[in-house]
Amino acid sequence: MRYLMSIMSDPASEAADYEPEPEIYEAMAAYNEELAKAGVLLTGEGLAPTSEGAEVVFRDGEATVVDGPFTEAKEFIAGYWVIQVSSRAEAVEWAKRCPHPPKGDPTEMKLQLRRIGELEDMDNMSEELKERERVLRVQTEG
C-alpha cells in the first residue's frame, strides 16, 4: 500500500519571513534517512509557501486562476512523503515518528495520512483504461 503523508502548516509558518530553525532541518533529514533505510520512502519534498502558488477554480465550465497566497485557508500542505508500507497501521506508526514539537511546546503540528488509490480500486474503470494507465506510468517512471 502506498500512503501520502502530508505535513501541514498554518498562516504563521506561511509568512514571507518564516524560516525554520536549523534543528528542524536536521531532525527532518534524520527522519527521511530513517524512512529510506527502512525501504518505505518512495519520494518526499517540502513545498514553497502558497504565496508562490496558484489555485485553479473550475466553475460553470470555466477555469479561473487565483494567485497565492491562499489567505482564506487555515491549513496548508507544507511538505509530503509517499511511502510504501504493508498496512494502515504501519503508515500510522511511521507518521507518529515524524519530528514534532516537544512536550511543553504549545505549537500544534498536524500530519495527514491518505492511502493512494490503486488501479485495482477503480471498479468502474475498464480493463482497457487500466492498461493504458499502467503503460503511461511505466513511461513516466523511466
Side-chain angles (χ1 to χ4, degrees):
M1 295 178 188
R2 293 180 303 154
Y3 275 84
L4 173 69
M5 290 194 314
S6 305
I7 192 163
M8 308 306 287
S9 64
D10 58 24
S13 61
E14 285 280 314
D17 61 349
Y18 177 78
E19 177 70 22
E21 295 297 321
E23 298 82 24
I24 293 174
Y25 288 122
E26 291 168 16
M28 283 298 178
Y31 179 65
N32 292 340
E33 290 166 352
E34 188 177 2
L35 288 165
K37 188 175 182 180
V40 300
L41 181 65
L42 298 178
T43 189
E45 299 288 340
L47 301 177
T50 64
S51 61
E52 297 180 29
E55 187 173 67
V56 180
V57 179
F58 300 95
R59 184 180 300 120
D60 197 27
E62 300 288 326
T64 305
V65 177
V66 180
D67 290 332
F70 311 129
T71 55
E72 66 281 354
K74 293 183 178 144
E75 293 182 324
F76 310 94
I77 298 174
Y80 69 93
W81 299 264
V82 176
I83 59 172
Q84 186 157 8
V85 294
S86 60
S87 66
R88 179 183 181 276
E90 185 181 359
V92 168
E93 286 306 311
W94 277 109
K96 288 168 52 178
R97 293 167 73 172
C98 183
H100 54 275
K103 187 174 180 109
D105 183 330
T107 306
E108 179 178 271
M109 184 184 105
K110 292 183 182 179
L111 192 142
Q112 294 182 352
L113 279 171
R114 302 274 306 272
R115 189 173 67 80
I116 297 174
E118 303 293 349
L119 289 174
E120 293 73 26
D121 297 331
M122 312 297 175
D123 294 335
N124 290 335
M125 181 184 263
S126 71
E127 285 304 316
E128 178 186 339
L129 284 177
K130 287 180 184 179
E131 185 56 29
R132 285 172 52 191
E133 185 67 24
R134 286 183 193 101
V135 168
L136 181 62
R137 289 178 183 187
V138 167
Q139 290 173 348
T140 58
E141 286 174 4

